[in-house]
Amino acid sequence: MSETTVEQLVAELAALEDPRMRAVNEKHGDDHGVNLSAVRALARRLKTQQELARDLWATGETPARLLSLLVCRPKDFGHDELDTMLREARVPKVHDWLVNYVVKKSPHAEQLRVEWRADPDPVVASAGWALTSERVVKNPEGLDLDGLLDEIEAEMRDAPDRLQWAMNQTLAQIGIEHADHRERALAIGERLEVLKDYPTPPNCTSPFAPLWIREMVSRREA
């Protein structure tokens, strides 16, 4: 795809901007007002185009980067390229889509998980914890779950928001998926009270780990 086509796509995305949606998104740190369903529809039209994805990412525009992550080929990104992209992805929705739609499908996911979790940048570290949550659920063999709980117990309460959220997810997944660690996970959550007062819409599960764990375990037992 030519640069002109990238410019046309950026203009097409800009035309979808809704000021009211931007105002809502900005409360969550996302600097755009484009309906994500429209971004997905555009991605379906374009299909997979790796070089176009790289060019869209290079614009630095949030809607273009979101589109980039939908039309890319995750396995074609190298380790260093993904690391650079993650450090550039300061907008929460871009960060989340990069981790969930691209990095999790990459052959470099495990190496990046280990490196990012130890990174001093809390936003980068939050990506490492998100990948750790994935492993807790899908491939826990070899993970030191007691060690993870030790870290969460010592660090989660005072962690910056995005890192705290990711650590809390790992805590909940350990409690949900691993019965032998459930009581300790519940106790840590009760003691730290992280996200205890988080506003939760009706019919949604609270992110407060003890409630989250008990709700998911109850559903499975039912």
Side-chain angles (χ1 to χ4, degrees):
M1 283 285 182
S2 68
E3 186 175 349
T4 303
T5 302
V6 172
E7 291 174 353
Q8 289 171 345
L9 289 170
V10 169
E12 186 171 346
L13 289 164
L16 297 171
E17 180 81 14
D18 180 341
R20 291 171 298 179
M21 186 169 292
R22 174 179 279 270
V24 172
N25 288 340
E26 285 181 342
K27 293 178 181 179
H28 305 288
D30 291 314
D31 59 348
H32 74 93
V34 179
N35 188 300
L36 298 180
S37 295
V39 178
R40 295 181 188 280
L42 183 51
R44 288 194 293 271
R45 190 181 89 202
L46 294 169
K47 300 184 170 57
T48 301
Q49 299 188 49
Q50 181 67 4
E51 289 312 309
L52 175 62
R54 286 191 169 101
D55 291 342
L56 286 166
W57 183 271
T59 67
E61 299 284 338
T62 291
R65 286 187 162 179
L66 293 173
L67 180 60
S68 164
L69 298 172
L70 296 176
V71 302
C72 73
R73 191 175 292 105
K75 293 181 180 179
D76 283 5
F77 289 113
H79 169 280
D80 292 351
E81 190 173 15
L82 288 173
D83 184 67
T84 297
M85 291 169 70
L86 192 280
R87 294 174 192 280
E88 293 174 346
R90 310 307 289 189
V91 176
K93 185 61 68 176
V94 175
H95 181 277
D96 291 345
W97 280 23
L98 175 60
V99 172
N100 288 297
Y101 296 168
V102 181
V103 180
K104 286 182 179 180
K105 300 176 183 177
S106 166
H108 308 290
E110 177 59 14
Q111 182 180 355
L112 289 168
R113 180 190 76 83
V114 173
E115 293 170 359
W116 288 344
R117 206 167 65 79
D119 198 278
D121 183 330
V123 176
V124 175
S126 73
W129 280 95
L131 295 172
T132 299
S133 294
E134 176 92 347
R135 267 205 66 183
V136 165
V137 175
K138 295 186 175 180
N139 183 28
E141 189 70 29
L143 280 180
D144 178 5
L145 298 180
D146 280 318
L148 291 173
L149 290 174
D150 287 344
E151 288 186 59
I152 291 167
E153 188 169 22
E155 300 172 15
M156 183 172 74
R157 177 182 283 164
D158 298 321
D161 288 350
R162 287 164 69 177
L163 177 55
Q164 184 184 74
W165 186 275
M167 295 177 81
N168 182 72
Q169 182 181 24
T170 301
L171 174 65
Q173 295 297 357
I174 291 173
I176 293 165
E177 300 292 335
H178 302 277
D180 50 338
H181 294 277
R182 186 168 298 146
E183 287 306 314
R184 186 181 177 201
L186 287 167
I188 291 171
E190 295 285 5
R191 184 164 56 257
L192 298 185
E193 298 187 335
V194 168
L195 300 175
K196 183 176 183 178
D197 299 321
Y198 191 85
T200 305
N203 302 317
C204 291
T205 303
S206 170
F208 179 47
L211 293 180
W212 186 357
I213 293 166
R214 292 190 178 104
E215 172 66 21
M216 297 310 295
V217 171
S218 175
R219 288 184 193 180
R220 292 182 181 186
E221 290 176 347

